[in-house]
């Protein structure tokens, strides 16, 4: 039977699937052979990996692709990168993590409690400029965000000063009790800290004993006046990182032996100096970072056809 004939059969047995559904229905490999491809509920596609030999570690490619699959206090697997929890990794070049909140709290007397400066020092990642915002929350508050753009250090900041909670508007972060700024494109190696403007929060202490500063995934943050106190309990917040391979452009990388994009892929640049990404060509689906990771949609149809025939043969008699 020719391929077209098989396709007709597929349609006759009532399998009507779009190309994307077909691709989703077939579990193509996302990790190297013999390598774990999941940690808890989080899928781990190559170049990421949880065990030696399963992640990209070429010292000439400057990057960080090791996921530490730890066990949390409930005995469940918990993927981590450095000291941060990972909640999702996409083959399109994003990784969702939980990042620390910079919390600067005061006692009623104005005495300052210890505070931290969260840092994100992972050179193969940039902070997604489209998905995140830098936010400061408080009524006696300012915050700095330090980072590197094209290897140049720089600082941006946010300020919010108010005296009465009745001025604070729910649902908008417009400067009263909550200040937000856009993240510049290509930002790396960040740290950020929240501070009290007066140095003691005494004027606003009854409704706002702390200043907060964090990077947060925009669509997971909706400000309300309750946050002036409750964010004290949110030790981490969700944010999105962009990931790439190395720090060279496609054009430079393609001429090197360690170029990683597999067969039937295209290469795209992020920002200059921020590395490249791989993508399956149209008509192919899979993990473009594996040598033969991109599979033709036709061959995926063929696999569906074969499994359907197998299923039919086990339940009906010809
Ligand atoms: C990468 O491999 C080198 C040896 O080839 C090793 O020293 C280094 O620790 C590895 N890095 C990671 C992140 O596993
Ligand atoms: C993975 O995380 C655990 C717990 O945080 C730590 O003890 C271990 O050293 C980490 N492993 C690596 C290879 O970094
Ligand atoms: C990571 O997730 C675990 C639950 O799996 C949680 O207990 C822990 O506090 C989280 N740590 C961070 C740094 O977000
Ligand atoms: C805050 O505003 C409310 C309503 O406008 C007012 O009744 C209250 O006295 C104000 N509180 C202070 C401390 O100014
Ligand atoms: C944000 O919260 C306000 C009320 O606090 C609500 O009216 C609004 O719909 C919320 N927006 C989103 C996007 O959830
Ligand atoms: C709080 O700071 C302000 C201005 O910095 C100062 O005038 C005031 O005395 C301080 N209050 C306390 C209780 O430390
Ligand atoms: C803060 O923590 C609470 C309770 O876990 C959660 O419902 C809320 O969504 C968190 N806020 C943000 C902005 O993540
Ligand atoms: C804003 O939301 C908080 C809960 O976060 C609620 O207690 C407060 O009443 C709301 N304020 C207004 C003006 O709706
Ligand atoms: C897909 O990759 C295979 C193996 O490298 C190659 O033979 C084939 O020509 C490629 N197809 C397209 C459309 O590039
Ligand atoms: C990338 O930046 C380097 C210097 O930082 C510059 O020499 C090069 O021309 C830039 N390449 C592109 C494609 O913009
Ligand atoms: C890439 O990173 C390496 C190692 O840090 C550095 O030596 C090199 O100059 C960087 N190249 C570009 C194009 O930024």
């Amino acid at each position: 039977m020719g391929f077209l004939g098989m396709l007709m059969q597929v349609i006759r047995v009532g399998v009507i699937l779009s190309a994307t559904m077909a691709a989703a229905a077939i579990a193509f490999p996302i990790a190297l052979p013999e390598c774990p491809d999941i940690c808890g509920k989080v899928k781990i596609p190559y170049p990421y990996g949880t065990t030696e030999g399963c992640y990209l570690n070429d010292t000439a490619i400057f990057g960080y692709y090791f996921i530490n699959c730890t066990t949390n206090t409930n005995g469940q697997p918990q993927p981590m990168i450095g000291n941060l929890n990972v909640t999702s990794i996409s083959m399109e070049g994003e990784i969702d993590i939980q990042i620390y909140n910079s919390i600067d709290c005061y006692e009623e007397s104005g005495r300052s409690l210890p505070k931290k400066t969260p840092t994100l020092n992972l050179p193969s990642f940039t902070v997604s400029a489209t998905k995140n915002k830098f936010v400061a929350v408080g009524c006696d508050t300012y915050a700095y965000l330090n980072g590197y753009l094209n290897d140049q250090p720089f600082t941006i900041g946010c300020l919010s000063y108010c005296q009465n909670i009745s001025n604070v508007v729910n649902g908008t972060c417009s400067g009263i009790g909550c200040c937000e700024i856009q993240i510049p494109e290509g930002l790396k190696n960040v740290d950020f800290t929240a501070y009290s403007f007066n140095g003691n929060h005494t004027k606003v202490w009854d409704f706002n004993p702390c200043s907060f500063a964090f990077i947060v995934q925009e669509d997971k943050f909706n400000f309300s006046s309750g946050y002036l106190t409750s964010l004290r309990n949110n030790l981490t917040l969700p944010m999105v990182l962009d990931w790439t391979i190395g720090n060279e452009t496609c054009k430079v990388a393609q001429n090197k032996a360690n170029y990683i994009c597999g067969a039937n892929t295209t290469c795209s640049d992020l920002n200059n100096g921020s590395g490249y990404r791989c993508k399956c060509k149209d008509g192919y689906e899979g993990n473009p970072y594996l040598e033969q990771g991109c599979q033709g949609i036709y061959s995926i149809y063929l696999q569906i056809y074969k499994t359907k025939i197998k299923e039919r043969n086990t339940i009906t008699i010809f």
Side-chain angles (χ1 to χ4, degrees):
M1 199 184 328
F3 185 69
L4 206 61
M6 289 183 189
L7 260 186
M8 293 310 290
Q9 276 276 36
V10 170
I11 290 158
R12 260 216 310 270
V13 293
V15 185
I16 300 165
L17 289 168
S18 74
T20 38
M21 278 173 75
I26 292 288
F28 46 73
I30 59 164
L32 290 177
E34 320 283 317
C35 283
D37 65 357
I38 199 156
C39 174
K41 290 184 186 134
V42 180
K43 288 187 183 150
I44 314 288
Y46 188 78
Y48 293 91
T50 56
T51 55
E52 219 179 312
C54 289
Y55 55 91
L56 177 64
N57 179 21
D58 175 341
T59 47
I61 294 180
F62 150 81
Y64 196 96
Y65 306 98
F66 169 62
I67 300 289
N68 192 349
C69 191
T70 63
T71 306
N72 71 15
T73 46
N74 306 324
Q76 301 300 309
Q78 172 64 53
M80 299 189 79
I81 198 152
N83 63 345
L84 304 172
N85 284 353
V86 173
T87 51
S88 164
I89 304 175
S90 88
M91 288 184 285
E92 287 73 42
E94 285 182 352
I95 179 163
D96 296 349
I97 59 161
Q98 289 284 126
I99 188 145
Y100 285 97
N101 185 359
S102 174
I103 306 177
D104 180 31
C105 290
Y106 295 81
E107 289 176 346
E108 193 167 7
S109 67
R111 202 169 77 92
S112 148
L113 298 169
K115 69 172 163 187
K116 272 190 201 153
T117 296
T119 59
L120 182 75
N121 215 333
L122 304 168
S124 39
F125 301 105
T126 54
V127 178
S128 170
T130 51
K131 299 272 173 85
N132 304 298
K133 284 272 195 282
F134 178 59
V135 178
V137 169
C139 272
D140 173 12
T141 299
Y142 67 97
Y144 291 129
L145 172 67
N146 301 307
Y148 284 82
L149 270 177
N150 303 321
D151 294 328
Q152 302 290 316
F154 81 102
T155 299
I156 52 181
C158 222
L159 167 69
S160 162
Y161 192 74
C162 34
Q163 300 215 8
N164 193 323
I165 197 168
S166 67
N167 297 329
V168 175
V169 183
N170 287 348
T172 65
C173 183
S174 55
I176 303 173
C178 180
C179 166
E180 68 177 20
I181 50 177
Q182 278 190 315
I183 302 279
E185 198 79 53
L187 183 60
K188 283 188 188 193
N189 292 356
V190 295
D191 65 68
F192 49 89
T193 316
Y195 300 90
S196 161
F197 207 60
N198 263 348
N200 55 32
H201 264 260
T202 47
K203 280 189 180 158
V204 294
W205 192 85
D206 52 338
F207 66 92
N208 174 227
C210 310
S211 290
F212 307 100
F214 44 87
I215 298 172
V216 68
Q217 187 174 343
E218 201 177 356
D219 58 13
K220 292 197 172 162
F221 179 72
N222 187 6
F223 178 69
S224 91
S225 60
Y227 281 174
L228 290 170
T229 48
S230 73
L231 277 177
R232 200 173 184 165
N233 303 317
N234 293 71
L235 299 185
T236 63
L237 293 143
M239 75 168 286
V240 183
L241 298 173
D242 288 326
W243 64 268
T244 60
I245 305 297
N247 63 350
E248 293 167 330
T249 58
C250 290
K251 217 174 159 187
V252 175
Q254 268 159 346
N255 295 317
K256 295 199 172 169
N258 57 15
Y259 177 64
I260 184 180
C261 301
N264 306 117
T265 61
T266 56
C267 181
S268 64
D269 294 315
L270 198 66
N271 299 297
N272 189 12
S274 291
Y276 65 90
R277 282 181 181 159
C278 314
K279 192 171 178 287
C280 290
K281 280 186 181 162
D282 284 348
Y284 292 82
E285 293 279 343
N287 184 345
Y289 296 92
L290 295 171
E291 230 170 280
Q292 299 292 334
C294 295
Q295 300 185 4
I297 304 280
Y298 276 166
S299 68
I300 290 170
Y301 268 127
L302 195 60
Q303 280 183 59
I304 290 176
Y305 168 76
K306 282 178 181 162
T307 46
K308 283 291 159 195
I309 289 292
K310 225 183 265 165
E311 277 168 25
R312 195 176 63 168
N313 287 351
T314 54
I315 48 176
T316 56
I317 301 151
F318 287 92

